[in-house]
Amino acid sequence: MGNLTAHAGISSVWFLPGPDSPYGRRMSQTYEFVVVANRLPVAAETAEDGTITWVRSPGGLVSALEPTLRREPAVWVGWSGRYAPDPYSTGDLGVELEPLPDGVGPCPLVEIELTREEMEGYYEGFSTSTLWPLYHDAIATPVYHRHQWEPYVAVNRRFAEQVAEIAAHGATVWVHDHQLQLVPGMLRERRPDLRIGFFLHIPFPPVELFLQLPWRKEIVQGLLGSDLIGFHTPGGAENFLAVTRRLLDVETDLDSVTVADLSPAGGKRRVGVGAFPISIATGEYEAIARTAEVQDEAASIRAKIGNPKHVLLGVDRLDYTKGIDVRLKAYVELLEDGSIQPGEAVFVQIATPSRENVEDYQKLRDDIELMVGRALGDHGVLGAPPIQYLHQPFTREELVAFYAAADVMLVTPYRDGMNLVAKEYVASRIHDDGALVLSEFTGAAVELDGSFLVNPYDADGVKQAIRDAMAADPEDLRRRMTRMRAQVENHDVDAWAKSFLDALEAPQ
Ligand code: GDG
């Protein structure tokens, strides 16, 4: 591993393809463009017999960055989904992870090795049990544990050290999401020559909530190591600027913060702050939806559930922010009050398994499954259940077939940075039909003018929006869907990445 083993705790697995590969690199090679995220774009799936298969990582980040990676040569730094052996707990010194196999992933990959214990503190602990609920309006109660903050700092430092090692002089580094908010500051200390961008994929909370965080100053200072900090919405950027004004003695204006430059040059440094709403690979979703296979599969899905008049659909990671309970409750009440007649509608909820080691997520699964079970018991009809619940992952083509099969898409989060599912539904509606019921508290609501907007806390409002969506005149739906489709066609993920990277490269 050459000079890399000199850094305790960092073990990098290089992508070592054949001589003709555009991704080939030597150990000493450095990169002009470095993507840094908690997860690599591929993930290890370990079978019971210990064999590992490499699959595409789930979630929006990989889909969001793939088009950019195809255009710009890059390296991706992150965790692989497998645990590093922990010599302290196993007593097994000298055991090393096998290198990542050649050719997995859309670009060269550098693995940050993390032990089970480190992931518990840094990811399941501080990132998922403190930052995630706090940044989503404290829907679940955030916990503030010092023993989880410490591994968060240590793991962020390890990422920063690794990036400092492989970034070329003056390289562009793009750091992603709440798990890595200290990386920009730690990286700037080591490498003031770099151009550092940070993008937050989840909401940034209002001042009153953020101030609960015992390490609030450290987080803000970490982020301010960036040259540009991006949020999904203007509201997120405003919240960040307000927090910065409140906590630090720095100048802010509408789209920047001016901080002291800690490099030898000294003076001041401008940190750009702005809204860069993420999107999807719209053309790819449309192309998939246009295939005969997907249209046939959509018809087959409808047939399998009894060809009801209305198919309603929810697609989410099983997460308490997504408001799966909101739409279930509304749907059940519509069955109860006779707004939906027996056999008239089927609600299909796809809930992709997520964060299954975290207690809040285990409880959520129990709660949702209790609600589904009860609703089926109370309102089930032999051979024609009004709800279909699928706690399993699907391929992208299968998901598009569900989108194509659904008359009404229900997206009802209590809070969501953007929500790509809403945009994917719109992109998949190639016949300009279908209705989108969308929570006001998603980033997507800022853009998708044409949806049936709901306040997820207003149960009657949600019920009414579902009634309106089911009863809407087809011409009204066509006008709404056409507007929304134009939006996602004109603002796809490529445009998102380009606008962020252009702003990052622009002279400050
Ligand atoms: C975070 C923020 C922000 C879901 N199930 C399957 C599957 N998915 C895909 C969807 C979509 C993605 O996962 C989920 O993206 P969302 O945006 O809806 O939600 P988060 O995962 O919470 O994403 C969010 C996003 O980051 C990007 O910045 O929009 O606000 O919370 O693409 O299609 N994909 C496949 N099988 C599944 O079963 N293939």
Side-chain angles (χ1 to χ4, degrees), residues 470-483:
M470 291 197 315
D473 170 48
E475 187 48 32
D476 177 33
L477 290 181
R478 198 188 58 75
R479 275 194 300 269
R480 288 168 178 263
M481 191 52 80
T482 308
R483 275 209 303 282

Side-chain angles (χ1 to χ4, degrees), residues 56 58-61 63-64 132 136 177 199-203 232 278-280 285 315-317 319 321-322 350-353 355 392-397 399 403 415-422 424 443 496:
R56 190 174 188 272
L61 184 60
S63 331
W132 182 266
H136 286 91
D177 226 1
F199 187 80
L200 185 68
H201 289 261
I202 64 175
H232 284 308
I278 203 170
S279 193
I280 57 166
Y285 278 88
V315 174
D316 312 79
R317 276 187 309 100
D319 194 295
T321 60
K322 301 290 183 185
I350 294 175
T352 314
R355 300 176 183 171
Q392 31 189 290
F394 290 91
T395 65
R396 187 154 72 146
E397 287 66 24
L399 275 190
Y403 293 143
R415 179 61 75 186
D416 212 335
M418 174 53 67
N419 195 289
L420 298 179
V421 165
E424 290 165 8
W496 166 76

Side-chain angles (χ1 to χ4, degrees), residues 14-17 23-31 108 110 166:
W14 301 130
F15 187 92
L16 290 170
Y23 300 132
R25 58 157 296 173
R26 276 185 269 279
M27 294 306 176
S28 57
Q29 189 176 340
T30 55
Y31 287 90
V110 174
I166 61 168

Side-chain angles (χ1 to χ4, degrees), residues 32-54:
E32 299 293 335
F33 182 36
V34 186
V35 170
V36 193
N38 171 54
R39 293 295 295 260
L40 287 172
V42 295
E45 267 185 11
T46 311
E48 275 180 14
D49 65 359
T51 48
I52 286 184
T53 41
W54 293 93

